[in-house]
Amino acid sequence: MHASFVLLLLYAGLEGWQDDGGWTGMLISVIMVVVFFICVVLHELGHSLTARRYGIRVPRILLMPIGGMAEFERIPRQPSAEFLITIAGPLVNFAIVLVLLPFVGLPPGFPFHPVYEDSIRGLWQMLLYWNGLMGLFNLLPVFPMDGGRIFRALLASRLPYLQATWWAVMVGRVLAIGLILRNLYLENYMLAVLFTFILVAGNAEYQAALRREQEEAYWREMAREAVTVPPATDEPPLILHGPN
Ligand SMILES: [Zn+2]
């Protein structure tokens, strides 16, 4: 858990105190943040458990105020593996929606202006709505968000891996810059910061993929030379006749 996460809880508590007056509002507000982040963890577990099936270790899941992140020991090169590992996260959110739906129903004003009644049922509806939103939001094709990874995996099933990454990063970059500007305009600073973070992460991952590709090309070249260097003649190699 990132240290700044504690600040988020304090902030939520304070907001709850001011909005609703007193301890009850504060408690509900803090519980809602905790429940929301439990859903984030479930989303990340969707990725992590699917990754484990492909033999990829996931040393930890990091929780930050802007969301969660499962840290993979490596990103799978195989497009089908990346596709399934990535889609598993949003599918967890949609599964939570489907499980809650028959019990709590949709909030009035759904989907654009949901209104929550001041009750336990209202809180469950809010949770349902958040999960739907979380699933959809993460499917935005802004690499390296889930949608961007799915896009890369789909491209990589037809194009060379690096080229697929380049296209996914380019599309992601254009969308991220658009979303940063739009959220600055709407004064949604949290989202503007989030997309800035995504923009930087996308560039970093492309650079890493590029470096890895160059290293692999280098070693391929070395291996080829190692194989072709010995002359294909019947003469005994001179180098073996040492001083002894
Ligand atoms: Zn995800």
Side-chain angles (χ1 to χ4, degrees), residues 65-159:
I66 53 169
M69 201 166 64
E71 293 183 350
F72 292 1
E73 123 202 276
R74 66 188 166 85
I75 307 280
R77 269 296 277 270
Q78 193 192 348
S80 60
E82 183 169 46
F83 180 82
L84 290 175
I85 291 169
T86 309
I87 207 156
L91 285 182
V92 168
N93 295 117
F94 297 139
I96 294 173
V97 169
L98 288 180
V99 168
L100 289 179
L101 192 60
F103 297 101
V104 302
L106 293 169
F110 179 86
F112 297 113
H113 303 286
V115 182
Y116 305 104
E117 55 187 86
D118 207 357
S119 66
I120 298 290
R121 181 154 174 256
L123 293 179
W124 283 110
Q125 287 178 335
M126 196 184 281
L127 193 64
L128 182 155
Y129 187 72
W130 276 353
N131 271 284
L133 216 55
M134 202 193 297
L136 288 176
F137 181 77
N138 278 283
L139 287 177
L140 285 175
V142 186
F143 189 84
M145 285 173 75
D146 293 344
R149 286 195 187 284
I150 290 170
F151 183 46
R152 193 252 302 264
L154 292 175
L155 289 175
S157 64
R158 276 145 227 264
L159 296 174

Side-chain angles (χ1 to χ4, degrees), residues 156-227:
S157 64
R158 276 145 227 264
L159 296 174
Y161 186 75
L162 197 61
Q163 208 177 333
T165 307
W166 188 85
W167 277 107
V169 169
M170 277 305 144
V171 170
R173 198 178 285 175
V174 170
L175 287 173
I177 291 172
L179 287 162
I180 290 168
L181 293 177
R182 179 165 170 75
N183 282 295
L184 283 177
Y185 176 72
L186 295 173
E187 298 183 10
N188 286 331
Y189 298 117
M190 195 80 172
L191 278 176
V193 168
L194 178 73
F195 284 112
T196 308
F197 179 77
I198 289 166
L199 183 69
V200 172
N203 288 335
E205 198 170 321
Y206 177 70
Q207 292 304 327
L210 185 65
R211 243 188 341 263
R212 204 170 50 224
E213 198 83 5
Q214 285 165 345
E215 268 165 28
E216 274 167 21
Y218 173 78
W219 286 114
R220 263 200 307 277
E221 188 69 16
M222 292 299 278
R224 210 183 56 186
E225 279 181 10
V227 173

